[in-house]
Amino acid sequence: MLSIVLKGGTFDNLSWKARDRRQGADVAGHPGRPTLGGMTAQPNPEAGAAVKAADRAHVFHSWSAQELIDPLAVAGAQGSYFWDYDGRRYLDFASALVYTNIGYQHPKVVTAIQEQAGRMTTFAPAFAVEARSEAARLIAERTPGDLDKIFFTNGGADAVEHAIRMARLHTGRPKVLSAYRSYHGGTQQAVNLTGDPRRWASDSGTAGVVHFWAPFLYRSRFYAETEEQECARALEHLETTIAFEGPSTIAAIILETIPGTAGIMMPPAGYLAGVRELCDKYGIVFVLDEVMAGFGRTGEWFAADLYDVVPDLLTFAKGVNSGYVPLGGVAISGAIADTFGKRPYPGGLTYSGHPLACAAAVATIRVMAEEGVVENAARLGSDVLEPALRELAERHPSVGDVRGTGMFWALELVRDRETREPLVPYNAAGEANAPMAAFAAAAKEGGVWPFVNMNRTHVVPPCTVTEAELKEGLAVLDSALSVADEYVAT
């Protein structure tokens, strides 16, 4: 077990008993200072070097050129923070990969995992198991409409895989429509559905996927001047795509309710309802991907609730248990569930509804309800984060656009506000990406770990974040944006 000696006590990754920040403990400190709840981590660089050496010798990292990366060795994490073996603390404005919605090491969820492990560590998915049944019930209570059946997966990508399989079997049709500027996962079907460059290397060209443009007024493909125009023209474009592809060949349309990694682009009022109408008109299954946006991230249990829309299938993962144990799933409407009432569904996973993962989900959902986590994300998003980000945009010429809701925000960085030229080119790497790399380095130097993708920085802290922590992180972003400003055209 890894451990760090602290002034005032000992921390290990399972049993740290510091004061509960959610009860008002002072943790603001100074950016980058390695303190937690009034205690200071004692550096252990030798242990960090050993961890790094083993990683570099044996771990093959995702989405990376293996010889060009230098992963940080992490010693521990708690709440909104993590720290390295040199004792340097980081405020996590990325929520890992936008999934630690309740922060790191929540004691009630850690205890639930420990207790479940003591009772039953694992059991096959064909059986009724208490943790699995209760997790499904709690999720179904919160999904919109009649999405009352839950198929559990190990994560978001395989949730998308199974949602598409269900749609094709339900309709008997082969094609799926998905948007550019989207991400749906790294498995074969999910990555083909994806609308960003991560698809290119694995794009088979024969996966039955057709891409279309979803609305995004800031970089409109429809020459729109208002949100109303953007919505109407995007829906017209989608219906034309349906017509030319042949409605009778299209099984599903899949959309991220609010696209995440692609840029947190809030759909205009009426767009998702319009897609719902098109799906009903042509007998197409409507799939909403809430892997990133779900479970409180947007200030609602699901982002679909913001738009009063009910899909036929809804995929989830990440925030369902804050990633403490891998878990994802598909919430299924009554009509699609009935398709497989007497006809076997040809799909499954060895670890579907794993007891440890489901126990973590049960505890996470209860914590979110009992501690007002969804409400916290909504309140601090509207009262603190949004006005502060818009103030930063006014003062920093590198900020071209601010968009988001709850604890789900993006700053689009540009070289020129008038032309909206991105701070770095699309899919930039190496020297071409230097401005964003400099911005990210400045944020880390200040003690904030940012979520950076292409020419954007996303502000996506845990939904349990405090006002003091937000202000701490925003002060660091303010300084880091001054670095980005140096690259603005004059």
Side-chain angles (χ1 to χ4, degrees):
M1 179 181 295
L2 299 175
S3 65
I4 296 177
V5 177
L6 303 170
K7 293 179 181 177
T10 299
F11 166 83
D12 63 52
N13 285 342
L14 294 179
S15 60
W16 186 57
K17 301 297 184 181
R19 291 176 293 159
D20 189 348
R21 294 182 305 98
R22 286 173 299 281
Q23 301 303 318
D26 178 17
V27 297
H30 297 284
R33 177 181 288 179
T35 60
L36 283 157
M39 295 183 289
T40 303
Q42 297 300 307
N44 190 347
E46 294 81 7
V51 170
K52 175 70 78 67
D55 177 281
R56 296 291 67 222
H58 302 294
V59 177
F60 193 93
H61 286 260
S62 56
W63 308 115
S64 300
Q66 303 303 303
E67 296 180 9
L68 302 181
I69 59 174
D70 184 27
L72 180 72
V74 177
Q78 181 74 26
S80 301
Y81 296 87
F82 65 90
W83 55 95
D84 63 21
Y85 286 88
D86 293 324
R88 184 170 179 79
R89 185 193 71 172
Y90 297 91
L91 176 59
D92 192 356
F93 259 32
S95 292
L97 285 175
V98 197
Y99 64 72
T100 54
N101 290 13
I102 60 167
Y104 295 101
Q105 297 297 112
H106 193 292
K108 291 181 181 178
V109 181
V110 172
T111 296
I113 295 169
Q114 292 170 331
E115 291 178 351
Q116 181 63 45
R119 289 195 304 270
M120 180 186 294
T121 54
T122 189
F123 217 83
F127 296 81
V129 174
E130 182 182 7
R132 186 180 298 146
S133 301
E134 181 65 359
R137 184 185 71 82
L138 290 172
I139 294 166
E141 280 186 351
R142 288 158 174 80
T143 52
D146 69 336
L147 305 179
D148 294 332
K149 293 285 189 178
I150 308 299
F151 177 81
F152 284 114
T153 65
N154 300 326
D158 46 351
V160 169
E161 294 276 347
H162 283 278
I164 296 309
R165 186 181 303 180
M166 291 175 189
R168 284 173 167 156
L169 292 168
H170 176 72
T171 62
R173 302 172 179 178
K175 292 180 187 173
V176 181
L177 272 56
S178 65
Y180 292 111
R181 303 190 185 108
S182 68
Y183 181 71
H184 294 290
T187 52
Q188 185 62 21
Q189 182 67 68
V191 82
N192 272 263
L193 291 164
T194 289
D196 76 21
R198 284 175 287 185
R199 181 188 81 249
W200 298 347
S202 303
D203 194 335
S204 66
T206 58
V209 175
V210 176
H211 287 92
F212 63 93
W213 290 107
F216 179 31
L217 183 61
Y218 187 73
R219 299 196 180 280
S220 176
R221 305 306 304 168
F222 307 112
Y223 306 98
E225 297 178 353
T226 67
E227 291 283 3
E228 293 78 13
Q229 287 181 349
E230 183 76 0
C231 179
R233 294 173 187 182
L235 287 171
E236 180 184 25
H237 160 70
L238 177 55
E239 186 162 25
T240 300
T241 302
I242 291 170
F244 276 76
E245 286 295 330
S248 64
T249 71
I250 299 169
I253 296 173
I254 183 169
L255 289 169
E256 291 175 273
T257 312
I258 300 173
T261 307
I264 309 185
M265 299 160 290
M266 304 288 288
Y271 180 72
L272 292 177
V275 176
R276 172 76 273 179
E277 291 176 5
L278 289 176
C279 287
D280 291 341
K281 179 178 179 179
Y282 295 109
I284 297 169
V285 172
F286 188 22
V287 183
L288 284 181
D289 182 338
E290 295 247 6
V291 168
M292 188 175 285
F295 290 96
R297 176 58 54 184
T298 65
E300 296 282 353
W301 279 99
F302 291 98
D305 297 332
L306 291 169
Y307 300 96
D308 195 27
V309 65
V310 180
D312 301 298
L313 297 168
L314 183 148
T315 63
F316 63 86
K318 292 185 183 283
V320 66
N321 64 6
S322 276
Y324 283 28
V325 183
L327 183 69
V330 186
I332 308 165
S333 68
I336 294 180
D338 287 346
T339 296
F340 304 103
K342 296 184 179 179
R343 168 189 177 186
Y345 173 64
L349 302 113
T350 298
Y351 307 121
S352 176
H354 193 283
L356 291 181
C358 287
V362 169
T364 296
I365 293 169
R366 289 176 177 168
V367 161
M368 293 179 75
E370 293 166 1
E371 299 184 6
V373 172
V374 179
E375 294 81 0
N376 187 67
R379 179 180 62 83
L380 292 183
S382 62
D383 295 352
V384 177
L385 200 48
E386 179 173 9
L389 292 176
R390 297 203 183 281
E391 182 182 345
L392 288 179
E394 291 178 3
R395 294 192 290 104
H396 290 283
S398 59
V399 180
D401 195 31
V402 177
R403 50 186 183 263
T405 184
M407 289 297 119
F408 204 38
W409 290 86
L411 300 180
E412 179 131 355
L413 305 188
V414 296
R415 288 184 180 271
D416 188 313
R417 280 182 173 174
E418 295 299 319
T419 66
R420 301 182 179 180
E421 177 189 356
L423 192 66
V424 298
Y426 186 74
N427 202 35
E431 187 58 32
N433 193 51
M436 290 303 297
F439 162 82
K444 293 172 186 177
E445 180 64 25
V448 166
W449 199 268
F451 185 111
V452 173
N453 188 42
M454 297 198 185
N455 68 308
R456 300 177 305 277
T457 186
H458 295 189
V459 182
V460 285
C463 299
T464 50
V465 71
T466 67
E467 183 172 347
E469 290 167 348
L470 283 178
K471 290 179 177 178
E472 174 190 338
L474 288 164
V476 174
L477 285 186
D478 190 9
S479 178
L481 286 170
S482 296
V483 174
D485 291 342
E486 297 174 5
Y487 296 90
V488 172
T490 57

